[in-house]
Amino acid sequence: MGMDLGIVSWNTRDELRRALASIRRHGGGRGAVVVDHASSDGSADMVEREFPEVRLIRAENRGFAAGANRLLSATAPEDLLLLNADVELTPGAVDRLERALADHPRTAAVGPRLVYEGGAPQHSAYRFPSLGLAAWVNSGLWRLRSPRWQAEQLLETSPQPARPGPVDWVIGAAVAVRRAAVEAVGGLEERYFMYAEDLEWCHRAARAGWDIRYEPAAVVVHLGNRSGVQAFGGRRTAAWLEATYAFVREAHGPAWARAYFAINAAGTGARYAAARVRHAVAPSERSRRSLAAWGPHAEYHLRRRVRGRQAP
């Protein structure tokens, strides 16, 4: 069984053109399918005009998970390399991901090493949410643990693994998915319009006894959040947090979710307060970036508390 390539697209014409050009160069002649979610920027017409070898499916926009499931249906019985529209393949990436699935029969999905356009690494492999890890990170006590422990927890402060191996979950910007695993555990959960659908699916696969792997030798360039910015604007962080809290509530129950929310609220509030103090005392580009990074997190958690709700 081989592997097809699929993209879910929504109003990302220029990025989609680059992605399809990279598939033409580095896809090894594999089949490619685009599900376009009623784009208004001419994306679908561009695909038909410039990439006649690509199968185009025009569909209503019911969210990323629904689009991914359309791709899974359209590419059966092949495995699927699911791609965002804002990615570019590099030489050998598809072959390495396909080989990783072939070499590890109990692996449900393999994530590549993602990098930004300039080559900077993008964190894309994680551990599942846990109260213990959340406590270590939000208290700042993670700094007292060894670098090896920090790397094993896949903290964003640590580099991604240099060697291939199992992880808990990988983000869905680029992920090779085994058909047999989809048939065993089902497709992506369409209640997640955007964000956390990758986390939920990897968690479901893991509970069914499948592995998730990270393959750093396969490199994919990811521009990042092109559709998310259009869909949510300044609420993108809030939308991501809401989806994540919805997942932990479903996976662990309301009490667990409230505890997880409380730990994160305390940690993000402390980070944002510290950033404000630093910026007031000695304004710098670093302190400005910290404010910009932690402000939306702190605002989201504060508003939820003010409204008397600790988790979605």
Side-chain angles (χ1 to χ4, degrees):
M1 182 178 294
M3 185 165 67
D4 285 340
L5 287 69
I7 295 177
V8 179
S9 173
W10 180 67
N11 286 335
T12 51
R13 182 190 59 204
D14 294 340
E15 292 85 357
L16 178 60
R17 179 184 288 114
R18 292 173 59 176
L20 293 176
S22 77
I23 289 175
R24 182 179 281 171
R25 292 192 304 270
H26 306 306
R30 295 171 176 85
V33 183
V34 169
V35 170
D36 183 77
H37 277 168
S39 296
S40 60
D41 66 348
S43 291
D45 292 339
M46 180 276 295
V47 174
E48 288 185 328
R49 182 176 61 254
E50 300 180 25
F51 298 92
E53 73 275 18
V54 174
R55 180 182 174 189
L56 173 68
I57 299 174
R58 297 175 186 256
E60 64 176 319
N61 188 1
R62 295 191 291 112
F64 179 81
N69 287 338
R70 288 289 300 269
L71 285 172
L72 287 165
S73 297
T75 56
E78 305 297 324
D79 296 333
L80 175 67
L81 176 54
L82 177 61
L83 301 168
N84 280 9
D86 58 350
V87 303
E88 292 185 51
L89 300 177
T90 65
V94 182
D95 289 337
R96 291 184 176 98
L97 292 171
E98 189 172 33
R99 191 177 310 124
L101 284 179
D103 291 345
H104 302 278
R106 289 303 300 172
T107 292
V110 183
R113 178 163 64 94
L114 296 183
V115 298
Y116 292 107
E117 189 168 18
Q122 179 181 0
H123 213 82
S124 59
Y126 295 88
R127 296 297 178 203
F128 290 132
S130 74
L131 296 180
L133 186 58
W136 278 106
V137 171
N138 283 284
S139 67
L141 293 177
W142 61 270
R143 296 181 180 87
L144 303 179
R145 302 299 299 263
S146 68
R148 179 177 179 180
W149 179 89
Q150 295 176 33
E152 288 174 348
Q153 303 309 311
L154 301 175
L155 300 185
E156 295 215 17
T157 52
S158 298
Q160 293 278 253
R163 297 180 180 180
V167 296
D168 283 353
W169 69 282
V170 292
I171 67 173
V175 57
V177 181
R178 186 184 300 277
R179 174 68 52 180
V182 175
E183 294 173 351
V185 306
L188 276 68
E189 177 53 68
E190 296 185 12
R191 287 176 296 161
Y192 295 88
F193 185 86
M194 183 181 290
Y195 302 131
E197 74 287 327
D198 41 15
L199 167 60
E200 191 279 336
W201 191 86
C202 289
H203 186 261
R204 187 161 16 110
R207 292 184 65 180
W210 295 87
D211 299 324
I212 307 296
R213 291 184 67 85
Y214 176 71
E215 176 49 77
V219 180
V220 174
V221 179
H222 182 214
L223 304 181
N225 283 309
R226 292 303 198 265
S227 291
V229 170
Q230 291 187 69
F232 300 108
R235 288 199 69 256
R236 187 175 62 82
T237 296
W240 170 71
L241 287 168
E242 286 172 358
T244 302
Y245 284 125
F247 160 74
V248 298
R249 184 185 181 92
E250 292 182 2
H252 301 289
W256 198 101
R258 285 194 293 270
Y260 188 67
F261 177 92
I263 293 169
N264 288 328
T268 56
R271 289 184 180 92
Y272 181 64
R276 290 194 63 173
V277 170
R278 286 195 298 269
H279 192 69
V281 173
S284 66
E285 180 60 23
R286 181 178 180 182
S287 64
R288 188 197 63 78
R289 287 198 303 268
S290 293
L291 284 173
W294 290 111
H297 289 261
E299 181 181 16
Y300 173 83
H301 287 91
L302 177 61
R303 285 185 174 180
R304 302 295 292 190
R305 285 185 178 278
V306 168
R307 294 173 183 171
R309 299 173 62 190
Q310 288 194 325

